[in-house]
Amino acid sequence: MNARLSEPDHQLLWPRALFRTEATKLLNRRSLRDWNERCEALLDDAFVHGYQGGPRSEFCELPDGYPDGLRRLPTDTTTLTTKQRFLRHLVENAEFLSEEVIHRPYWRERTSGKSTSTVLDSRSVVREFVALVDDLDEYGYFEKRFGKECVDDYRGSGPSNLIEKQLHAPDLWPLDESRLADEMDLFFDIVEYLHDLAARPHARRMHSYCGCGWHHEEFEIESGRIVYRWRVNKILQRSNLGLRLADEGPDIGRLVAVTDDARHELVTKLTAREDGPASDQVRHAIELFRARGADRNQKRSAIVELALILEERRNGVLTDALAKSDRGALFEIANNFHLRHQNASQKREYDDFYLDWIFWLYLSTTELTNRIIDEQNQ
């Protein structure tokens, strides 16, 4: 069956770790009267749509009750039904589930040796984002704030009015693809705003009158935002915009400049650390530096924030890590590149990529000092 899990109709629309977490939470709530319905909703939400088969379809085809004619005593809380076993099997073998579109190269790609994938331009990004928002809205991700578009209670201008209060732009809902493509700054605002509204429903009920559809309930903000960021970032990483929604730190859910995996891991490690004022300074510096459209002054301020941390650790922590001359070299950079002080001898006419270099040098040195502090405290 593991080979079946790698088929295209088993592709995840969530991060694998989130699927494991949410499915395990549901398995631990097997006493719920509507457990089957909740599991069906989870599988419907977590896996790719548009196939006749797939986990939800296979789950619905399974018989209710216990396998092999087993009967569970009222005091038995360990025996799983056939459908519960199905979900447990998915959890236990989640590594075989794909987070990416499964692509086997076709003739032209195989014979030419060149990939047929294309980089999305800004209009294509907007188009795919609008389609994603429509999909998430159908699955109830904005229902907590916008309510349900119901035959008995139409949303009307409600969502647009809410958006206008925050973004000061009228008539933004439903999203207009052409308008957003023409106003990219407004598009970026919408991407960030909808992140803050996203909430994943855990339950749903069918309202069949006039084909209304599902009404969603029991919303969870954290998992909803995780799904939203993950799916939006899947679009952005195929584009030439150089942006992604931050997954950590004080700017979580805000568009930030893309970095490589190693620097992303460094940021994740530092923003998760809790050791007093220094950690707050680091998070503030990261937020300043990687903000969308961060200018030269913001980047300089971020570097100065890190330099202050290293200055405090210069003759203590750094003594165990670097020679005296090397410690001094770190601060020559900050002092000579018109960052911390204002005097005529400083280098002022330098390209912005030097700021990138200095920031990542100081950030990695801060992480080094954290490791030394941890060793000293053992």
Side-chain angles (χ1 to χ4, degrees):
M1 182 167 177
N2 289 342
R4 178 78 181 96
L5 300 184
S6 62
E7 289 294 320
D9 60 0
H10 279 64
Q11 179 202 329
L12 284 164
L13 294 176
W14 294 2
R16 187 180 293 109
L18 180 65
F19 171 72
R20 280 196 181 107
T21 298
E22 294 301 303
T24 300
K25 283 162 57 176
L26 188 57
L27 283 168
N28 290 332
R29 302 181 68 194
R30 298 190 301 277
S31 60
L32 290 169
R33 291 181 178 274
D34 61 345
W35 192 92
N36 285 353
E37 290 77 10
R38 288 173 182 254
C39 187
E40 182 183 346
L42 181 147
L43 297 175
D44 199 15
D45 190 356
F47 289 89
V48 66
H49 315 136
Y51 287 91
Q52 290 294 326
R56 174 185 170 275
S57 177
E58 293 175 12
F59 175 84
C60 292
E61 291 172 1
L62 292 172
D64 291 328
Y66 299 91
D68 303 324
L70 289 174
R71 291 185 178 182
R72 189 177 71 171
L73 296 173
T75 56
D76 181 6
T77 60
T78 59
T79 304
L80 273 61
T81 67
T82 302
K83 291 189 172 183
Q84 290 164 357
R85 290 188 176 197
F86 177 83
L87 182 61
R88 186 180 66 178
H89 178 80
L90 288 177
V91 172
E92 291 175 343
N93 295 277
E95 69 270 19
F96 296 102
L97 299 170
S98 176
E99 294 179 332
E100 307 290 341
V101 175
I102 297 172
H103 170 66
R104 296 178 62 201
Y106 293 107
W107 175 260
R108 285 182 300 165
E109 189 173 346
R110 297 201 315 274
T111 54
S112 68
K114 298 179 181 178
S115 173
T116 57
S117 61
T118 58
V119 176
L120 300 179
D121 60 20
S122 59
R123 287 192 171 273
S124 298
V125 169
V126 172
R127 182 182 66 250
E128 294 211 9
F129 173 77
V130 170
L132 170 60
V133 168
D134 288 344
D135 185 61
L136 291 174
D137 191 33
E138 180 181 348
Y139 281 81
Y141 277 70
F142 306 113
E143 211 166 305
K144 179 178 173 65
R145 195 69 179 94
F146 287 168
K148 169 69 178 176
E149 184 67 69
C150 176
V151 293
D152 293 331
D153 185 16
Y154 288 104
R155 284 173 170 172
S157 60
S160 283
N161 294 338
L162 287 170
I163 296 172
E164 185 175 0
K165 286 180 182 178
Q166 292 295 320
L167 303 185
H168 310 293
D171 304 322
L172 283 174
W173 191 272
L175 299 181
D176 184 330
E177 184 181 314
S178 298
R179 179 181 177 186
L180 294 177
D182 290 337
E183 301 179 63
M184 287 301 292
D185 282 335
L186 180 59
F187 166 70
F188 293 141
D189 277 347
I190 282 288
V191 170
E192 295 180 346
Y193 176 75
L194 291 180
H195 167 270
D196 292 349
L197 265 59
R200 190 179 79 80
H202 283 259
R204 62 187 184 180
R205 56 182 174 82
M206 175 58 70
H207 184 200
S208 58
Y209 181 69
C210 291
C212 178
W214 294 108
H215 284 237
H216 298 87
E217 302 167 335
E218 297 185 27
F219 299 95
E220 183 179 277
I221 291 173
E222 182 180 3
S223 62
R225 289 178 177 176
I226 290 173
V227 171
Y228 179 89
R229 289 195 301 269
W230 195 78
R231 295 189 65 180
V232 170
N233 283 338
K234 288 291 184 181
I235 297 173
L236 293 175
Q237 73 184 17
R238 295 163 48 217
S239 78
N240 57 8
L241 296 177
L243 297 170
R244 62 184 297 277
L245 285 171
D247 288 311
E248 70 293 299
D251 50 3
I252 188 170
R254 296 297 177 260
L255 289 163
V256 298
V258 171
T259 59
D260 57 60
D261 290 344
R263 281 183 283 189
H264 176 68
E265 183 179 343
L266 175 64
V267 167
T268 300
K269 184 182 298 184
L270 286 168
T271 54
R273 188 179 178 90
E274 295 289 349
D275 62 352
S279 292
D280 293 335
Q281 287 178 262
V282 169
R283 282 190 283 268
H284 183 240
I286 291 170
E287 183 180 9
L288 277 174
F289 188 84
R290 67 177 187 174
R292 173 167 58 93
D295 60 21
R296 191 178 181 91
N297 288 329
Q298 286 174 286
K299 291 186 174 184
R300 285 177 55 202
S301 296
I303 293 170
V304 170
E305 192 91 45
L306 296 178
L308 289 172
I309 296 172
L310 294 176
E311 187 75 68
E312 292 175 356
R313 299 174 175 182
R314 181 175 187 172
N315 296 317
V317 178
L318 284 173
T319 302
D320 295 334
L322 298 173
K324 184 176 181 180
S325 59
D326 295 331
R327 297 198 303 273
L330 281 174
F331 298 96
E332 285 179 13
I333 294 171
N335 294 335
N336 293 336
F337 272 84
H338 187 234
L339 294 169
R340 296 202 298 171
H341 307 297
Q342 304 285 336
N343 62 60
S345 66
Q346 290 180 322
K347 298 177 176 63
R348 294 170 179 265
E349 301 300 325
Y350 57 88
D351 292 321
D352 284 356
F353 60 74
Y354 280 101
L355 291 174
D356 293 349
W357 166 60
I358 298 169
F359 175 81
W360 292 108
L361 171 64
Y362 279 18
L363 195 66
S364 59
T365 306
T366 301
E367 199 272 332
L368 169 65
T369 61
N370 286 343
R371 289 165 58 189
I372 296 171
I373 290 171
D374 291 341
E375 288 183 5
Q376 292 174 342
N377 291 335
Q378 287 179 356

